[in-house]
Amino acid sequence: MTDKLSRRSLLRMGLGGVTGLALPATVATAVAARLALEAAHTSPSVDRFAVPLTIPPVLTPYDAAEPTDIYEIRQVTAEAEILPGLRTPVWTYGGVYPGPTIEARRGRPVSVRHRNELPVPTVVHLHGGVTPPDSDGYPLDLVLPRGVHDWQGHHLGAGPPPGGTAGVAHGERTYHYPNDQAAATLWYHDHRFDFTGPSVYRGLAGFYLLRDEAEESLPLPRGRREIPLMIQDRFFNEDGTFFYPSLDPTLVERPGVQALFADGVRGDTILVNGKPWPFLTVDGARYRFRVLNGSNARAYRLRLDPPPPGGGGLVQIGSDAGLLPRPIPLDEVYIGPGERYDVIVDFSRYSAGSRVVLANGDGDEPTAQVMRFDVGSRATDDSVIPETLVADLEPMPPIDAPTTRSFVFTGGQGGIPATINYRTFQADRLDASVPLGETEIWSIKVDPEHPFHPHLGHFRILDRNGEPPEPQDSGWKDTVQIRAGVVRVAIRFSTYTGRYVLHCHNLEHGDMMMMANYEVIP
């Protein structure tokens, strides 16, 4: 296999007939062309704030015997009413869209048996989880559909061989999650090699909320005032079906999207928990929102419109990997694909009858609004935002760590293949070996914008383009949206050895091989 740009790379972009690199000359050209194509495809009109927000159901273990909670999830096709009055075929975990929420406890292991009854292979990744390599969801650890014993798809022919870590499973696989990490908002989603983008787009995503005693001892909003929000964007056809520009709509053989969408599929309809621009009726009290950007490629600049008197309406209490040391009042939160932010909104700062929009400051019509909160009268509220959330959070690692690595994320726009360090992913190539238990400094340079996500590893952001991190960068993270330039992180790998991947969490870029292997060694 060659490490450099190849015809296979171009095929992923729908450019297999191109010789050389006679591609659009600039990023601006490609973006303009994509916008023109998006304008040509418009989803059916939907009234804003006309449907109530729904909360994904919490999954019940079928066996809660000590010492492990055991779940079973059937991956099945279904139909969901996403746009009012229309039925959308979806791929689901457990028949619901989005998937059901798993609530786990620190120190109590969870085993999830996934049974694949879909027409294509799947892989399940617990995003943010500290998991052994054979349960991490390595993209080539395929679970073949039930009854299928010899998959003949493109990725088993011209592409890398299957079975990167746990091998190929037939019909089902049980993933084991030790949950030996701090309470955090995690999520699980499909991670099949070549086809992560369309599989997540069709519905394969759900929350995984990890709780612990330290978090539960805090007087934070809970119960019906603790709400997960999965924000996604989608295109729809007139009949309510998803529009996704796959080169192979069956997702069986040819990976990739139409060339004009190579910089990521960004839809014109905003969904929250699977509903378009929903509303939520709230009391005049504090609410905790676990916000997940589950979109394939779109980033959001979230803010309240109107802001509460005095500003600081989004009080950040947590990041990807858990609670912050102290709450941070913010006017807006910038959230890239795969990132999570826990925020508290005190609706008692608004008068009863107020209508408050969760807006997207980076969006244009129709993506400038996300959902609406309809504020009721003041209600009894015994919650408090403590001045200290985590007293013993591990401090920022030293900046003079002995090992520094550099990763350059380029391409995915303007007809340029997506690469890391100017190489596309190869399953049989090891790109880095990282000693277990050591902290390293990694420099991630991007052109022009990419969300960086390493499996297994959690990190602290040291600086952005040589400047101090932004306030929302506090705490331990597993994903960071990088908006041009360089971000340096101090990263650690604890508990497990084995092979993992790091990649761009723009899912179309990941499918175009903006991914690399690394190995944690003893």
Side-chain angles (χ1 to χ4, degrees):
M1 297 182 184
T2 177
D3 287 346
K4 300 300 182 181
L5 306 182
S6 64
R7 178 177 172 82
R8 175 171 167 80
S9 305
L10 300 178
L11 281 171
R12 293 171 183 272
M13 304 177 64
L15 300 171
V18 176
T19 57
L21 284 177
L23 306 173
T26 66
V27 171
T29 300
V31 171
R34 177 179 60 79
L35 292 175
L37 182 57
E38 291 178 3
H41 182 91
T42 302
S43 297
S45 177
V46 176
D47 291 337
R48 310 285 176 86
F49 319 129
V51 297
L53 179 77
T54 59
I55 310 300
V58 175
L59 195 62
T60 301
Y62 76 84
D63 187 348
E66 295 287 352
T68 300
D69 288 333
I70 301 175
Y71 296 85
E72 182 171 282
I73 294 178
R74 294 172 58 227
Q75 302 173 359
V76 295
T77 59
E79 288 189 346
E81 185 173 331
I82 301 174
L83 304 184
L86 296 174
R87 306 295 294 179
T88 301
V90 289
W91 290 358
T92 73
Y93 295 121
V96 296
Y97 174 78
T101 297
I102 294 176
E103 292 197 358
R105 294 197 63 81
R106 184 176 188 176
R108 183 175 177 83
V110 161
S111 292
V112 186
R113 179 186 300 140
H114 280 268
R115 303 181 66 181
N116 182 6
E117 299 175 23
L118 296 170
V120 300
T122 61
V123 176
V124 180
H125 171 54
L126 179 58
H127 185 124
V130 179
T131 58
D134 57 359
S135 288
D136 179 69
Y138 188 88
L140 290 164
D141 288 340
L142 304 177
V143 181
L144 300 184
R146 294 191 68 192
V148 174
H149 300 286
D150 184 19
W151 186 255
Q152 297 297 324
H154 171 80
H155 54 290
L156 301 188
T165 299
V168 172
H170 297 274
E172 65 180 49
R173 168 169 281 138
T174 299
Y175 295 85
H176 302 283
Y177 304 132
N179 297 323
D180 187 18
Q181 60 189 102
T185 301
L186 312 180
W187 65 303
Y188 63 101
H189 62 81
D190 189 74
H191 211 307
R192 174 189 167 203
F193 182 71
D194 278 348
F195 295 96
T196 297
S199 294
V200 173
Y201 199 91
R202 293 191 183 196
L204 294 181
F207 280 101
Y208 187 104
L209 305 183
L210 183 57
R211 304 185 182 277
D212 63 18
E213 292 181 359
E215 182 189 58
E216 291 177 338
S217 69
L218 300 173
L220 300 172
R222 63 189 64 201
R224 67 181 183 86
R225 293 178 183 163
E226 179 190 352
I227 299 176
L229 301 178
M230 181 185 295
I231 303 173
Q232 299 173 309
D233 59 334
R234 297 289 186 265
F235 280 121
F236 292 87
N237 296 310
E238 286 298 322
D239 61 357
T241 57
F242 286 132
F243 170 81
Y244 185 89
S246 295
L247 297 179
D248 176 4
T250 69
L251 308 187
V252 169
E253 183 171 354
R254 190 181 185 191
V257 293
Q258 298 169 21
L260 296 179
F261 286 91
D263 66 326
V265 178
R266 297 170 176 86
D268 61 1
T269 302
I270 302 298
L271 307 180
V272 184
N273 295 350
K275 298 296 182 182
W277 296 286
F279 70 89
L280 175 68
T281 301
V282 296
D283 301 323
R286 297 182 189 89
Y287 282 72
R288 176 182 181 179
F289 297 104
R290 296 175 178 262
V291 183
L292 158 66
N293 183 350
S295 296
N296 281 30
R298 184 182 298 279
Y300 300 84
R301 192 175 301 277
L302 300 177
R303 59 180 63 156
L304 298 177
D305 181 21
L314 300 173
V315 180
Q316 184 188 355
I317 63 168
S319 190
D320 301 327
L323 293 175
L324 306 183
R326 291 168 297 281
I328 303 175
L330 299 169
D331 291 322
E332 62 181 24
V333 171
Y334 188 79
I335 180 169
E339 288 187 296
R340 288 90 63 213
Y341 288 97
D342 279 14
V343 298
I344 292 178
V345 176
D346 185 356
F347 290 106
S348 71
R349 299 174 66 184
Y350 292 93
S351 60
S354 297
R355 293 184 169 183
V356 182
V357 172
L358 182 63
N360 173 23
D362 278 359
D364 297 317
E365 285 297 325
T367 62
Q369 297 173 319
V370 177
M371 64 176 295
R372 191 180 73 192
F373 304 106
D374 295 347
V375 182
S377 59
R378 291 199 177 190
T380 301
D381 184 4
D382 58 1
S383 71
V384 176
I385 304 177
E387 292 184 4
T388 299
L389 296 165
V390 181
D392 59 349
L393 186 73
E394 185 174 341
M396 180 74 77
I399 296 180
D400 59 349
T403 302
T404 298
R405 303 181 193 272
S406 296
F407 296 96
V408 180
F409 285 58
T410 57
Q413 293 99 342
I416 303 173
T419 67
I420 297 177
N421 290 346
Y422 308 104
R423 302 195 294 185
T424 53
F425 177 74
Q426 299 294 343
D428 56 358
R429 186 187 70 230
L430 187 63
D431 296 287
S433 294
V434 183
L436 179 69
E438 291 190 10
T439 296
E440 296 188 348
I441 305 301
W442 286 9
S443 172
I444 303 99
K445 181 178 181 180
V446 305
D447 179 19
E449 180 172 15
H450 299 282
F452 163 71
H453 172 55
H455 289 206
L456 183 68
H458 293 166
F459 57 81
R460 298 289 297 272
I461 297 176
L462 299 176
D463 51 54
R464 289 179 179 266
N465 293 320
E467 300 294 329
E470 298 173 2
Q472 71 173 60
D473 291 334
S474 301
W476 287 93
K477 291 179 61 60
D478 57 56
T479 309
V480 58
Q481 182 78 4
I482 306 175
R483 304 180 296 279
V486 179
V487 166
R488 291 195 314 143
V489 303
I491 191 166
R492 67 178 183 186
F493 298 89
S494 58
T495 310
Y496 300 109
T497 58
R499 178 169 291 210
Y500 296 85
V501 293
L502 61 91
H503 60 90
C504 177
H505 217 279
N506 176 320
L507 299 185
E508 282 69 46
H509 290 177
D511 286 343
M512 291 159 54
M513 298 195 292
M514 187 175 275
M515 186 161 54
N517 282 310
Y518 68 90
E519 186 175 24
V520 181
I521 59 177

